[in-house]
Amino acid sequence: MDSSKEQLLSPSPSYEHEHFRRSYDARESFDLGSDLDATEFLQSDPLTSSKPSAAFSTQPRNRWLRKTCGCLAGRSTRCIIGCLGVFALVWLALGAGGFFAFKKYKQTPPDGLSPPWYPTPKGGTARNWADSYRKASEMVAKMTLPEKVNVTTGTGWKMGPAVGNTGPAIHVGFPALALQDGPLGIRFADNATAFPAGVTVGATWNKQLMYEWGNAHAIEARKKGINVILGPCIGPLGRMPAGGRNWEGFGADPYLQGIAAAESIKGIQEEGVMATIKHLVANEQEHFRQSWEWGLPNALSANIDDRTMHELYLWPFGDAVKAGVASVMCSYNMVNNSYACGNSKLLNGLLRDEMGFQGFVMSDWLAQRSGVASALAGLDMSMPGDGLIWEDGKSLWGPELTRSILNGSVPLDRLNDMVTRIVAAWYQLGQDDETKFDRKGPNFSSWTDEPKGVFAPGSPTEQETVTVNQYINVMGDHAKIARQIAAEGTVLLKNEGLLPLSRDTSTHSNETERRNGPLQIAIFGEDAGPGEGPNLCEDRGCNQGTLASGWGSGSVEFPYLVTPVEALAKTWEGNKDVKVSTYLTNKPPFSKQPEILRDAQLCIVFANADSGEGYKAWEGVNGDRPDLFLQKGGDELIIQVAQGCHGGNGEVLVVIHTVGPVVMERWIDLPNVKAVLLANLPGQESGNALADVIFGDLNPSGKLPWTIGKSLDDYGEGAKIMYMPNGVVPQQDFKEGLFIDYRHFDKYDIEPRFEFGFGLSYTTFKFSDCVVKELKAKSPFPAPRPKDFAVPPEYDTSIPDEEEALFPKGFRKLEKYVYPYLDTVDDIVSEPYPYPDGYDVQQPLSGAGGEEGGNPDLWEVYVTMSTNITNIGDRAGKVVPQLYLRYPQGISTVEFPVKVLRGFDKILLEKDETKTITFNLTRRDLSYWDINAQNWAMVVSGEYKFLVGQSSRNLPVSATW
């Protein structure tokens, strides 16, 4: 597609800010923030006050690490006129209705394929939450109406130190909550770890590291005064390999995503910090994900059938709920033409009734698109509190929710449940323990690096200057965890005897003959070096230097970044037998200095591919990548180096840092490309982790969390980003159903370049013997839904006295701050409210529900499979056994994937050691979603087949049940 057409509805991809603000000074910008995105073309944008980081400093200082890089900051008259002209042309071209279609869809379209599900099931029915709900009910019963509203509504963007802040319920002792972006670390914070990205964690296939990643993050968050981490991320799932935010999740398979989510949630919440699983659901691309961000008045609708929703996109959310996650964040997009944060079927029917979710649902930042309707549909917390426009202080809840209670449009029963869910989560995580949570709030500011500032910089009202940054170092020894994850998340894709490199440089491991003099090693590529520092661009929104993170609200300030060239050079430092030359550019002067390549015996070349959240753009990458190729001429660099290294006879090691799959066909089979390492997004310990693998200090054990195809077309039509809207309300039909990533490759018998789950080792493993043991007999459906363990709290539902909703006398307001109070109650009128269709229809309870995570029978182990694994190589290494399930064939008219992942583990084996690994398969693992029975069904006739091996296409042992 013509790149000029791709950008017709998006902001200009590049613009350099002349100066970067150090405090709260206003500036024009289209840069946006938090888990949040921007609302382009509206009155203001949230990250106009994005701030530099203090990193390691214990006091404020100027930083070389961060300079400005943004888009559309200062707009010329010519630019504005041009943009308006293009904008007008696009509107005329869109759809059959042009401008009339625009007028028709200025308001949210009526719900389409998403049926109503009312009323919202109340929390407090599950065994594990019963005590927390008891405590919460006692507190909520004493709250005033304004206090209840305060707990459910954010105070507004930049109206507090965190990216999300709620108001307190002072009279009952419930504090304001601070919510901060993840999942790579603490966004906007100083002296905090920049962990590897979620995709790198997924590539470890190591459950223990998944747990430790979450736990370390939570330790730092708690010590910084944060109550709620906005992570982990399992949506997007990875339907589209070029999706901008795929790197925040764990891989393109629901089972892998679900296990990683559950483990990281356990790690986070065992520290007492609330985890937030996001984004519910089907937010699979950045283009058109949010109203107005791309110039359209409504977001894209992801249209998904019932079975695909359950087996693919909702599957990992089920694992998260089973793990006890405190919060779920609903996404910006529509689901079947109903906004996710106002979709009653999704929030009430699927999440609460089927999955038994006991925590609270928060909106993504400005993803709430209605007031009363979203409350009725199951939203519990509005973030950041502003309504349809950033930083205007006009909340859809806040005083409007207070008014809605007083006029009877929102039942007090619903508000009580909203508040109780939030307070119960607070008790559930032990945040009432003041020895761990001091109730003083964050000890850092998201909006400035200066030690002094104001509490609510988003308000123009004059405020007292106070200490906002205490520069507390919370990193501890977490660099060790970050390094281990980065190393184990590095995937060895190709190795023809080159790796590991020997520190004894008399020879390579491949015994390349030395010439007279030292071994000549040349390192090429911008991606090997520091560039202009890891924090050059806001929210990491540009690709320069070595790539260690994608961009957006999931990014963090790097306290430091160990580059590959730094770590490699340090290894050879002082060694007279080695001469290292570095060319940290993607355009070395090969023509003018041919000896650069001619003299090199070992060439190490680095390249990358970047992407991020849709509110930022960089050189044609508008959130989503425009293709699957390496960026900044990376493919050309690799080819030039391979062809010229030592006259074409030198050995070449290629290292790739990437947000997702990249097409390697132009160079992967070149004869002197001897080894390829895919290092994903490694975080601050990038170079050290890479050196650990290259020199064999750690035997590579990473596995691909997605498939690397030979072209984008290999992934199917459903894998392609919608770069141009197909209507004023873009409609994206998930017609491929269950068949994404390796499932698609299997169905159509497409040979990938590297399959899902693939990754080499420096040793060799042998799988042998299979033993299947039945623990429970097959049966069509789960056991009957059990009765609720506990009865939800009940409260007085009489409408409160209107007078308690008024601003207290003498109250000093901050302009734009979201309060729960009203200026007057004289205009409160109780009239019949036009409730949505189906609101008065009581829904039958799902047989798939009954407890946290769903029907308890779904989590019972029905069969086990054991196999032996032996290390037959010459060194110790970690093996990742993977179990894939094949449903009984030819028995049912239901179509199944060729195979689906249903188990994995990671174990260390010494040389010649054998261990037995056992996989436990639950009823849920063995079931599919029966759209007629509306329940999880097991195939009771025929044979299930279990296949075990080291990747989705290397499965040497199998057994049937």
Side-chain angles (χ1 to χ4, degrees), residues 187-347:
R187 188 184 184 200
F188 292 143
D190 57 89
N191 298 302
T193 304
F195 290 101
V199 69
T200 312
V201 178
T204 70
W205 293 62
N206 187 324
K207 297 175 185 178
Q208 181 61 31
L209 287 181
M210 293 166 180
Y211 170 89
E212 292 179 8
W213 179 72
N215 189 248
H217 186 180
I219 290 170
E220 297 191 9
R222 182 180 62 78
K223 290 181 177 179
K224 283 289 188 180
I226 297 300
N227 301 92
V228 185
I229 289 174
L230 303 179
C233 176
I234 54 175
L237 177 65
R239 173 185 187 242
M240 304 168 182
R245 297 184 76 178
N246 291 350
W247 59 272
E248 293 186 44
F250 303 105
D253 178 81
Y255 185 90
L256 176 61
Q257 287 261 29
I259 295 298
E263 292 299 326
S264 56
I265 288 166
K266 291 173 187 175
I268 291 169
Q269 296 196 163
E270 285 185 16
E271 184 59 26
V273 178
M274 299 185 214
T276 304
I277 199 69
K278 63 183 186 182
H279 306 84
L280 187 73
V281 64
N283 187 172
E284 294 295 314
Q285 68 169 55
E286 293 304 287
H287 283 72
F288 321 120
R289 63 169 183 161
Q290 184 183 9
S291 305
W292 292 113
E293 187 176 55
W294 300 84
L296 299 175
N298 279 293
L300 172 151
S301 177
N303 302 322
I304 307 176
D305 68 86
D306 190 22
R307 185 180 172 204
T308 300
M309 177 66 81
H310 281 84
E311 293 186 36
L312 215 58
Y313 297 98
L314 280 182
W315 181 283
F317 285 93
D319 290 282
V321 173
K322 180 65 175 176
V325 71
S327 176
V328 170
M329 182 188 291
C330 49
S331 55
Y332 287 113
N333 57 289
M334 295 187 197
V335 179
N336 295 337
N337 285 288
S338 174
Y339 276 102
C341 291
N343 189 312
S344 63
K345 173 64 176 179
L346 178 63
L347 303 184

Side-chain angles (χ1 to χ4, degrees), residues 238-511:
R239 173 185 187 242
M240 304 168 182
R245 297 184 76 178
N246 291 350
W247 59 272
E248 293 186 44
F250 303 105
D253 178 81
Y255 185 90
L256 176 61
Q257 287 261 29
I259 295 298
E263 292 299 326
S264 56
I265 288 166
K266 291 173 187 175
I268 291 169
Q269 296 196 163
E270 285 185 16
E271 184 59 26
V273 178
M274 299 185 214
T276 304
I277 199 69
K278 63 183 186 182
H279 306 84
L280 187 73
V281 64
N283 187 172
E284 294 295 314
Q285 68 169 55
E286 293 304 287
H287 283 72
F288 321 120
R289 63 169 183 161
Q290 184 183 9
S291 305
W292 292 113
E293 187 176 55
W294 300 84
L296 299 175
N298 279 293
L300 172 151
S301 177
N303 302 322
I304 307 176
D305 68 86
D306 190 22
R307 185 180 172 204
T308 300
M309 177 66 81
H310 281 84
E311 293 186 36
L312 215 58
Y313 297 98
L314 280 182
W315 181 283
F317 285 93
D319 290 282
V321 173
K322 180 65 175 176
V325 71
S327 176
V328 170
M329 182 188 291
C330 49
S331 55
Y332 287 113
N333 57 289
M334 295 187 197
V335 179
N336 295 337
N337 285 288
S338 174
Y339 276 102
C341 291
N343 189 312
S344 63
K345 173 64 176 179
L346 178 63
L347 303 184
N348 292 339
L350 301 180
L351 181 63
R352 288 188 172 90
D353 178 48
E354 282 188 21
M355 294 187 192
F357 176 58
Q358 299 295 300
F360 61 95
V361 176
M362 74 169 73
S363 69
D364 203 337
W365 272 229
L366 244 66
Q368 181 189 23
R369 309 307 296 172
S370 61
V372 172
S374 61
L376 300 178
L379 186 66
D380 301 308
M381 180 183 286
S382 171
M383 276 290 140
D386 301 294
L388 299 175
I389 299 175
W390 287 100
E391 294 187 75
D392 67 352
K394 298 177 182 178
S395 181
L396 292 169
W397 281 2
E400 296 304 318
L401 182 55
T402 300
R403 186 185 307 278
S404 297
I405 295 296
L406 294 177
N407 67 24
S409 53
V410 174
L412 184 58
D413 207 33
R414 173 78 266 264
L415 176 62
N416 286 337
D417 180 59
M418 292 156 58
V419 181
T420 305
R421 284 176 173 273
I422 297 168
V423 177
W426 183 73
Y427 276 117
Q428 183 78 353
L429 274 296
Q431 294 193 6
D432 55 322
D433 182 353
E434 295 189 50
T435 64
K436 296 186 72 174
F437 293 86
D438 60 16
R439 306 193 186 186
K440 296 179 182 179
N443 51 44
F444 71 99
S445 171
S446 297
W447 319 117
T448 181
D449 282 340
E450 301 299 321
K452 299 285 187 177
V454 296
F455 175 78
S459 173
T461 304
E462 184 177 351
Q463 301 169 58
E464 177 187 6
T465 299
V466 296
T467 297
V468 293
N469 280 308
Q470 299 177 34
Y471 310 109
I472 296 174
N473 191 321
V474 297
M475 291 185 285
D477 62 353
H478 295 157
K480 294 179 181 177
I481 298 171
R483 181 171 179 170
Q484 183 73 15
I485 293 170
E488 288 201 28
T490 297
V491 184
L492 179 61
L493 295 178
K494 181 179 180 179
N495 189 25
E496 296 179 353
L498 178 61
L499 298 179
L501 295 181
S502 173
R503 286 187 169 88
D504 177 6
T505 56
S506 58
T507 63
H508 292 279
S509 59
N510 197 32
E511 298 186 358

